[in-house]
Amino acid sequence: MADILLDVESNPSTPAAGKAVLYFNTTTKALTSVNDAGLRRSYGVLNNSVTSQSPTAAARTYITGSAITFPAGTMQVGTMLRWTFNLTKTAAGTATSTFDIAFGTAGTTADTARVSFTKPAGTAVADEGLVQIICIIRTIGAAGVAVGQFHMTHNLAATGHAVIPCVDVNTVSAGFDMTAVTTAGVCVTSGASDAITVEAVIAEAFNV
């Protein structure tokens, strides 16, 4: 069986008309291509975590495994970031929770929340849910804009995580400088007294 070994190429320039470059991106650790229009596409999951984590109630916490790293300047119009993770809730806690997409260079809570979502208040009943957060880069540059969608389904129709069976929240960011951003991830600030656990995280990026 033959192997294909690709040379290290962190961020190749746009190729000539009618050509494309396929390379292994040493930052994202993903197979990536760039076409003659400068559009970059990455292939494969960029990060994940199977570590059980229980964020402290009411404290902004960076979800382990949610950090997506990429070379500065490679986000482009149409870049999509997607996070999928479970969310287990005990009977404790009924207040609203906030989830945010943090952009920066640290991959910690030091990065700034640019797109935030408020999950509606729940009830004092144990529940299990699945969250998916999608972010599309609408414009780039020193005043770039990101559009985010928070989607959550859970086992209970009117109790537990929320009093509705499906939660959808859309948020459009204010303009912010994307030129130096190298990391995007998800933070959660759970409601007072909430006892939640995240067991698995999948973080993906497309067109970076």
Side-chain angles (χ1 to χ4, degrees):
M1 179 181 292
D3 295 326
I4 298 174
L5 178 64
L6 298 178
D7 290 337
V8 172
E9 188 72 58
S10 60
N11 190 14
S13 56
T14 300
K19 298 181 182 298
V21 177
L22 182 66
Y23 64 101
F24 177 73
N25 190 305
T26 56
T27 301
T28 64
K29 305 302 182 184
L31 188 64
T32 307
S33 66
V34 56
N35 65 16
D36 56 1
L39 179 64
R40 298 179 191 276
R41 298 186 185 278
S42 53
Y43 306 91
V45 173
L46 296 183
N47 204 1
N48 58 52
S49 173
V50 292
T51 300
S52 179
Q53 48 193 303
S54 300
T56 301
R60 185 170 181 253
T61 304
Y62 204 100
I63 296 178
T64 302
S66 72
I68 298 172
T69 58
F70 40 83
T74 57
M75 280 199 300
Q76 57 196 331
V77 174
T79 289
M80 186 181 87
L81 310 172
R82 181 170 65 195
W83 296 270
T84 305
F85 53 93
N86 83 301
L87 197 65
T88 299
K89 177 188 181 302
T90 72
T94 62
T96 61
S97 298
T98 301
F99 293 81
D100 69 75
I101 304 173
F103 289 87
T105 59
T108 69
T109 52
D111 290 341
T112 304
R114 300 295 186 180
V115 185
S116 297
F117 315 93
T118 298
K119 181 182 77 67
T123 69
V125 178
D127 196 8
E128 175 67 30
L130 182 68
V131 174
Q132 186 171 81
I133 295 174
I134 296 174
C135 178
I136 302 292
I137 303 303
R138 177 176 289 177
T139 60
I140 57 174
V145 173
V147 181
Q149 183 74 25
F150 174 96
H151 176 76
M152 179 180 188
T153 56
H154 61 114
N155 286 338
L156 306 176
T159 57
H161 277 299
V163 297
I164 52 177
C166 182
V167 177
D168 277 293
V169 182
N170 180 265
T171 304
V172 180
S173 77
F176 66 98
D177 189 356
M178 295 185 181
T179 58
V181 170
T182 59
T183 306
V186 174
C187 295
V188 58
T189 307
S190 59
S193 301
D194 259 356
I196 60 173
T197 301
V198 177
E199 296 286 0
V201 179
I202 300 172
E204 302 168 279
F206 305 87
N207 299 348
V208 292

